[in-house]
């Protein structure tokens, strides 16, 4: 297993918190990660940010949850037991209701070729593990834009 860099990841480059509590309230994120520790660290970060998060530990389980859960964002490892991340992407992009779902690959494979292959397969972005929370936060801001609460006045 490739651990995430949790020690330095708790703050942004500016030294402040990498995420505000509740920043992503109302969003649903599905995480497909077979490494239990990595999956729970990502899930904890997302939950603290307010996102409703489900965790699957295989591509098969992820695809089942996808149809039942209808997430706003998918974060998946590329190397999974059974159905690999590339196949998850292929099946997802073949489903009309998920064709435009943002997908972030979080993988320990740092080779440029691996990143390019996943982007060509339909991923929107690619994070190399271990990654900083600040890097994940930037992608959350990109794919889960802040929802402005309307105040009755």
């Amino acid at each position: 297993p490739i651990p995430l860099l949790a020690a330095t990841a708790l703050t942004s480059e500016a030294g402040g918190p990498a995420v505000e509590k509740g920043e992503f309230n109302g969003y649903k994120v599905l995480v497909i990660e077979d490494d239990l520790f990595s999956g729970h660290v990502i899930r904890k970060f997302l939950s603290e940010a307010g996102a409703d998060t489900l965790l699957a530990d295989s591509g098969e389980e992820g695809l089942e949850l996808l149809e039942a859960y209808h997430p706003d964002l998918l974060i998946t490892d590329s190397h999974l037991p059974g159905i690999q991340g590339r196949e998850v992407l292929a099946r997802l992009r073949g489903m009309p209701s998920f064709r435009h779902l943002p997908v972030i690959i979080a993988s320990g494979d740092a080779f440029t070729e691996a990143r390019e292959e996943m982007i060509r397969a339909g991923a929107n972005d690619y994070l190399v593990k271990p990654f900083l929370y600040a890097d994940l936060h930037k992608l959350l801001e990109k794919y889960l834009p802040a929802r402005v609460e309307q105040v009755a006045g």
Side-chain angles (χ1 to χ4, degrees), residues 30-31 54-56 60-71:
L30 175 60
V31 178
L54 270 185
L55 183 60
E60 292 88 350
E61 182 185 10
L63 287 169
E64 288 173 20
L65 288 174
L66 184 73
E67 294 190 64
Y69 187 60
H70 290 273

Side-chain angles (χ1 to χ4, degrees), residues 8-125:
T8 57
L10 295 175
T11 59
S12 68
E13 291 83 0
V19 67
E20 292 180 32
K21 286 199 182 293
E23 183 176 357
F24 298 107
N25 279 345
Y27 285 108
K28 297 188 293 185
V29 180
L30 175 60
V31 178
I32 307 174
E33 173 59 71
D34 62 318
D35 177 67
L36 193 60
F37 177 75
S38 293
H40 284 291
V41 170
I42 294 170
R43 184 179 187 178
K44 183 177 189 305
F45 178 80
L46 292 167
S47 294
E48 286 178 4
D52 183 17
T53 308
L54 270 185
L55 183 60
D57 64 4
S58 70
E60 292 88 350
E61 182 185 10
L63 287 169
E64 288 173 20
L65 288 174
L66 184 73
E67 294 190 64
Y69 187 60
H70 290 273
D72 299 299
L73 175 71
L74 171 65
I75 300 173
T76 183
D77 194 349
S78 58
H79 302 289
L80 298 164
I83 299 174
Q84 297 290 306
R86 183 176 170 79
E87 180 65 19
V88 168
L89 277 170
R91 292 188 189 187
L92 172 102
R93 295 305 184 215
M95 300 176 192
S97 55
F98 299 111
R99 202 165 278 140
H100 301 292
L101 177 71
V103 177
I104 299 169
I105 302 296
S107 178
D109 196 341
F111 292 106
T112 302
E113 297 81 20
R115 180 188 191 286
E116 290 172 355
E117 178 182 336
M118 295 306 283
I119 297 295
R120 278 194 306 272
N124 296 84
D125 251 303

